[in-house]
Amino acid sequence: MLRGWIKEKKSTLHGSTNSLNTAAELQDLDAAMKAVTFIMNDDLESAAAGLEAGTSSFHKLGQGMVAFLRATLGFEPEIIREASECLAGTETTASIDHRRAQKDPEAFHSSIYAPGSEFALCLAQSQLMSAVVGVLNENLLEGIKGFYKLRKAYISLDSILAAERKFTESTEAESNFNASRTSYDSHRTNGSVRSVNGIFGDKSASPGGPLLSPHGISAQHNGMPKSLETQATRDVSSDDDSDEFVDADENHEGLPTPSTYLGHVDTNEATDDLAKTSIGIPKTQMFREPSTPYTPRSPTKSMYHMLEHDPDSDVFTNPLDSFIHSGANLCFGLLLVLLSMIPPAFNKLLFIIGFKGDKPRGIRMLWQATKFFNINGAMAGLILLGYYNGLVGFCDIIPDSHSNDEDPSLESVEGYPTKRCEGLLHEMRTRYPKSRLWLLEEARMLASKKHLDKAIALLSSDIKSPLKQVEALSMFEKSLNSMYSHRYDLCSQSFVECCELNNWSHALYYYIAGSAHVELYRRAKADNDEASAAQQAERAIELLHKVRENAGKKKFMARQLPFDIFVVRKLNKWEARAKEWNVSFIDAIGISPFEEMIYFWNGHKRMDREQLQHSLSALAWSEDPSNNPHWHRESLDENAILSFLRAAIYRSQGRHEEAKMLLKKEIICNDRAAFKGHLKDDWTCPTAHYEMGANLWMERDGSEADAARVKEAEQWLDVAAKWEKYELDARMGLKITTGLETLRGWKAENGI
């Protein structure tokens, strides 16, 4: 299949039919994992040759992982469809092998996991990847089925991890027993013990009777978990669309699981709205508001009885055990993190899955997976770096990271653990020196440290990846960094190139490219360079007029992309103003759309003092009568955009009091209804409430006043979270969700 992608032809999938035995499984696993790892080093030919050489579940999983990687890096419809087909074949093969392994005495039997767990993991991994690909699909029903697959993967993975918990508890019990026995013998030798009951509290532990087995301390420590053997990893073959689920053991502290069946996907009916889709879930279940109790941050492994051994530990002497452990930590960790970050606007989707996220636990599990030198470790590393450099970098209210200079491995995983991320990146670049993926992550890390020019230089390297999706992602990152650093020509050129490399959101790309030339036009006008101004105006109009013809082509779960809706409304607004004011289109454009985009991509967090000052200067153009004679005509919502963007920059400069005063005086004091209406920008008022909370969080100084600041910040974010629908609310919802989690975590840690 990989050769098919390279040569633009497809290959067929064939299931595994060989009988199972441990030696064959080990050979298949070794061959498949070696082959798929080549993809992390940009070696497509070696990966293709290795994965096409076998038909085992491990080979199919390898093909599925490569397909998934390409689909999630590029978001291209054709690649997404190919990935969906590939992963469906993986599910079928893994399901067959799993059922066979449970009955085959020659199959691998682990000291930790139930028979067939390696194939249960393959199935769960393919379901998880298929679920993500399904959500990326433009078809609504496929997206909803994807959420159901998340539920199935969750149950299977939780059952695999339940086996680890049993093993850990048994090991700890045995260790405690041995320690107690040693203590008893010592006391007895010294003549200080008169009764065995004084130590063990049970006559069965007397020297004259049978010793208490560490596995006999509690019945629950005996054997493998029943749920793994009989229920949760029971799979459905690919020709069965019933999507029936059997719940696993649900008595897991901190991970509440509904005890009722949550429904059936009706594959014969799809509508335009989730609320109207017939999927067999009672509306009272689907649409009741979820309760998301806070999980304490920075948990210890004892909270979850997690296995945190290194690959060279005696626990993982068998490669199949290492594969199961690293894969389960990769997948379940990713799942917990994803579910924990669902914005408020999508909370109801959690009831399709039936579970809640747990970010601290998920992050710890991903870090555990990175210890293993296999594809699971590499994928976990890629996800973690993407999470810290991308999602954490996008948010403002994040947990404090507690560093440990002597041992970076002990550094907190909360917030942005700089030392650990640097160490992880170094390790991955050492393992895979030829891959552009790790260069991309290095550039993101440089940008997070406000070294935008260095990041751009790294991304401008002549070294190219054979994966088109990686090249497209690198160009997009270069475009964003050019935008943050106000390199207008490079920004425009790079975003136009993005249109040639992928087809995700051409409307947004052209909008930002055109906005860059709007800034160049305004600078030329301010310098009285009429020739240059005319040239820049022409190019700006040319690019902006391409926005509308490219909008709406890409959909997410059958809905138009939020940014596409946003940019088209902006164009309509400017055209209406040009007609009303009797001015040219270029002069009807309001507050810098370029600076507006910088905020929506959280560029201020990556900008140094000089670049922040540049942004303030760009905003000042609008209210300067010598440059903009139409300022007096501006409406409340445009004035609010100017004040909001200026306040956001003040926050990044540490001018928190000025920022809060501006937000209250110019935006929050107004009736929220004043921002609603045809073509108006309604996002500034709810987002101003978020900014108030962000300022309060950043004002903390370690004093007793911090408690009051955090409480007030939470109040502001609560208002923002409960705001009615507005433009780009899902985008802001990610910041709000992360912020509320951080604030509540801080309060819990400080006993407030």
Side-chain angles (χ1 to χ4, degrees):
M1 175 161 285
L2 290 179
R3 292 190 189 281
W5 287 328
I6 298 170
K7 301 175 183 178
E8 298 186 356
K9 64 180 181 180
K10 297 181 179 179
S11 60
T12 58
L13 293 169
H14 301 283
S16 170
T17 58
N18 296 329
S19 61
L20 299 172
N21 64 73
T22 302
E25 281 189 52
L26 287 171
Q27 290 177 354
D28 286 338
L29 175 66
D30 182 63
M33 293 301 100
K34 282 182 178 177
V36 74
T37 302
F38 282 118
I39 200 70
M40 303 307 295
N41 207 28
D42 285 3
D43 189 349
L44 288 174
E45 291 292 340
S46 297
L51 291 174
E52 290 176 353
T55 59
S56 71
S57 289
F58 306 121
H59 287 84
K60 298 297 184 186
L61 178 64
Q63 293 178 355
M65 293 181 87
V66 175
F68 171 78
L69 190 63
R70 296 179 72 241
T72 53
L73 288 176
F75 301 107
E76 299 172 79
E78 182 60 31
I79 302 299
I80 290 173
R81 282 192 291 271
E82 287 182 8
S84 182
E85 294 172 6
C86 180
L87 290 166
T90 303
E91 288 186 54
T92 300
T93 304
S95 179
I96 293 171
D97 282 345
H98 175 247
R99 288 195 294 267
R100 185 183 298 137
Q102 290 179 307
K103 302 174 183 177
D104 191 341
E106 298 297 319
F108 169 65
H109 282 66
S110 168
S111 61
I112 305 174
Y113 308 101
S117 292
E118 64 272 34
F119 301 114
L121 174 65
C122 290
L123 181 61
Q125 282 188 279
S126 60
Q127 287 171 337
L128 176 57
M129 292 186 290
S130 182
V132 175
V133 169
V135 172
L136 294 177
N137 196 300
E138 296 184 6
N139 182 277
L140 176 65
L141 187 58
E142 289 300 314
I144 296 174
K145 288 173 68 176
F147 279 100
Y148 271 99
K149 287 193 175 183
L150 284 183
R151 172 179 166 80
K152 296 174 72 175
Y154 190 114
I155 293 173
S156 295
L157 291 167
D158 188 52
S159 294
I160 292 174
L161 292 167
E164 289 193 0
R165 289 193 290 272
K166 298 291 186 183
F167 177 82
T168 303
E169 290 168 357
S170 299
T171 303
E172 291 175 352
E174 184 174 4
S175 176
N176 292 336
F177 168 78
N178 289 335
S180 298
R181 181 66 190 181
T182 300
S183 176
Y184 164 74
D185 290 340
S186 174
H187 282 289
R188 186 181 181 188
T189 301
N190 295 332
S192 59
V193 177
R194 297 183 180 179
S195 170
V196 175
N197 294 347
I199 296 178
F200 296 100
D202 195 311
K203 294 180 180 179
S204 64
S206 65
L211 287 176
L212 182 63
S213 166
H215 295 282
I217 291 176
S218 171
Q220 69 179 9
H221 295 304
N222 262 327
M224 291 296 105
K226 181 179 179 182
S227 61
L228 187 63
E229 297 177 334
T230 61
Q231 294 184 357
T233 54
R234 185 182 300 153
D235 307 309
V236 183
S237 61
S238 62
D239 58 349
D240 182 1
D241 291 329
S242 65
D243 278 326
E244 293 182 353
F245 314 115
V246 184
D247 288 344
D249 177 15
E250 295 163 357
N251 296 320
H252 305 313
E253 184 179 354
L255 290 171
T257 305
S259 59
T260 56
Y261 172 72
L262 288 185
H264 171 87
V265 176
D266 185 347
T267 57
N268 297 318
E269 181 177 354
T271 65
D272 293 331
D273 187 62
L274 173 62
K276 299 177 183 177
T277 303
S278 176
I279 53 177
I281 301 179
K283 290 184 178 180
T284 56
Q285 289 185 9
M286 180 184 288
F287 297 111
R288 64 172 181 257
E289 289 298 320
S291 59
T292 53
Y294 174 75
T295 301
R297 298 192 293 115
S298 302
T300 61
K301 67 178 181 179
S302 61
M303 290 179 63
Y304 306 115
H305 294 283
M306 289 174 58
L307 277 177
E308 293 194 337
H309 296 71
D310 292 332
D312 56 359
S313 165
D314 292 340
V315 175
F316 299 118
T317 55
N318 192 296
L320 283 167
D321 282 336
S322 295
F323 168 72
I324 297 170
H325 175 73
S326 60
N329 276 271
L330 162 67
C331 294
F332 203 67
L334 173 61
L335 190 52
L336 291 176
V337 172
L338 288 177
L339 295 181
S340 71
M341 299 186 71
I342 291 181
F346 295 99
N347 265 351
K348 290 170 184 174
L349 292 178
L350 287 173
F351 284 94
I352 293 179
I353 308 165
F355 301 97
K356 300 184 182 74
D358 185 345
K359 190 186 299 179
R361 183 187 181 194
I363 293 297
R364 287 178 63 87
M365 296 181 79
L366 288 169
W367 277 108
Q368 173 65 11
T370 63
K371 296 178 181 179
F372 292 79
F373 197 164
N374 57 21
I375 186 61
N376 294 327
M379 290 287 285
L382 192 63
I383 291 167
L384 279 172
L385 290 173
Y387 166 77
Y388 286 119
N389 294 324
L391 294 174
V392 173
F394 175 71
C395 298
D396 307 293
I397 306 174
I398 59 175
D400 302 313
S401 183
H402 305 291
S403 61
N404 189 313
D405 294 332
E406 294 182 1
D407 187 356
S409 66
L410 299 178
E411 185 176 16
S412 167
V413 299
E414 297 295 308
Y416 189 95
T418 304
K419 296 292 185 183
R420 291 192 70 163
C421 288
E422 289 174 348
L424 177 61
L425 179 61
H426 175 76
E427 172 67 21
M428 292 302 168
R429 289 209 62 187
T430 302
R431 291 186 193 178
Y432 314 106
K434 298 179 181 179
S435 176
R436 286 278 293 178
L437 274 172
W438 309 111
L439 281 176
L440 172 62
E441 292 304 330
E442 184 174 349
R444 286 176 169 172
M445 193 173 290
L446 286 169
S448 71
K449 296 178 180 178
K450 307 183 188 298
H451 301 318
L452 292 173
D453 288 339
K454 290 182 180 180
I456 292 171
L458 189 61
L459 294 168
S460 301
S461 168
D462 292 333
I463 302 174
K464 302 297 181 184
S465 171
L467 276 172
K468 176 185 173 184
Q469 293 77 19
V470 175
E471 285 303 300
L473 204 56
S474 297
M475 183 57 67
F476 181 70
E477 196 69 25
K478 178 181 176 180
S479 304
L480 289 176
N481 289 334
S482 301
M483 180 172 70
Y484 306 150
S485 56
H486 300 94
R487 295 170 65 170
Y488 299 114
D489 283 315
L490 180 60
C491 176
S492 178
Q493 175 188 342
S494 300
F495 270 113
V496 171
E497 286 189 50
C498 284
C499 296
E500 300 170 1
L501 291 171
N502 71 51
N503 60 1
W504 176 246
S505 182
H506 288 186
L508 176 63
Y509 300 159
Y510 282 123
Y511 180 83
I512 299 178
S515 298
H517 288 281
V518 170
E519 292 301 318
L520 290 172
Y521 163 77
R522 291 178 174 181
R523 291 178 65 182
K525 288 283 287 183
D527 294 337
N528 295 317
D529 188 346
E530 295 298 331
S532 177
Q535 182 182 6
Q536 296 298 339
E538 181 181 0
R539 181 60 174 159
I541 292 171
E542 176 189 355
L543 291 168
L544 290 172
H545 281 174
K546 289 184 178 182
V547 170
R548 190 175 280 107
E549 63 190 63
N550 284 278
K553 291 185 177 180
K554 181 68 180 178
K555 297 186 185 302
F556 180 77
M557 292 190 70
R559 300 293 184 89
Q560 195 171 351
L561 297 178
F563 263 127
D564 282 12
I565 298 172
F566 178 84
V567 298
V568 169
R569 180 194 59 77
K570 294 291 265 190
L571 289 179
N572 292 338
K573 181 178 184 179
W574 298 337
E575 289 174 349
R577 284 151 57 102
K579 184 176 181 180
E580 179 184 349
W581 296 355
N582 193 27
V583 298
S584 65
F585 174 80
I586 193 75
D587 289 325
I589 296 175
I591 307 303
S592 173
F594 193 85
E595 293 298 327
E596 202 173 37
M597 284 294 108
I598 287 177
Y599 176 80
F600 283 126
W601 290 94
N602 209 14
H604 298 146
K605 193 173 181 178
R606 296 166 175 82
M607 293 159 63
D608 59 26
R609 291 182 179 181
E610 182 180 348
Q611 290 153 353
L612 289 170
Q613 192 58 46
H614 193 144
S615 286
L616 286 176
S617 298
L619 293 175
W621 183 94
S622 294
E623 57 184 358
D624 185 348
S626 63
N627 292 322
N628 181 19
H630 310 293
W631 175 247
H632 66 282
R633 296 180 173 180
E634 291 292 5
S635 57
L636 173 64
D637 63 322
E638 285 291 326
N639 277 273
I641 294 173
L642 176 62
S643 298
F644 178 88
L645 295 177
R646 188 170 280 160
I649 297 170
Y650 287 169
R651 173 171 61 79
S652 295
Q653 292 178 322
R655 299 159 62 180
H656 301 297
E657 284 301 326
E658 292 177 77
K660 291 189 295 182
M661 186 179 299
L662 191 59
L663 291 169
K664 291 178 179 178
K665 180 181 178 182
E666 300 295 337
I667 304 174
I668 296 173
C669 65
N670 295 292
D671 189 331
R672 65 175 65 183
F675 296 95
K676 299 177 181 179
H678 183 56
L679 302 180
K680 287 186 177 181
D681 285 84
D682 63 353
W683 59 270
T684 52
C685 199
T687 310
H689 286 71
Y690 166 82
E691 281 292 317
M692 288 293 296
N695 275 286
L696 287 161
W697 173 252
M698 293 179 178
E699 281 185 299
R700 291 173 305 131
D701 55 10
S703 67
E704 294 182 358
D706 285 352
R709 292 186 181 110
V710 170
K711 286 181 180 179
E712 185 182 351
E714 185 179 11
Q715 293 172 358
W716 285 107
L717 262 64
D718 276 332
V719 174
K722 297 173 183 177
W723 207 273
E724 61 267 28
K725 186 174 179 58
Y726 59 92
E727 265 188 329
L728 303 180
D729 56 351
R731 189 170 191 82
M732 288 305 304
L734 177 61
K735 288 188 172 188
I736 294 168
T737 299
T738 302
L740 284 171
E741 180 184 276
T742 299
L743 296 172
R744 290 165 184 166
W746 188 93
K747 287 171 59 181
E749 285 183 352
N750 290 273
I752 298 173

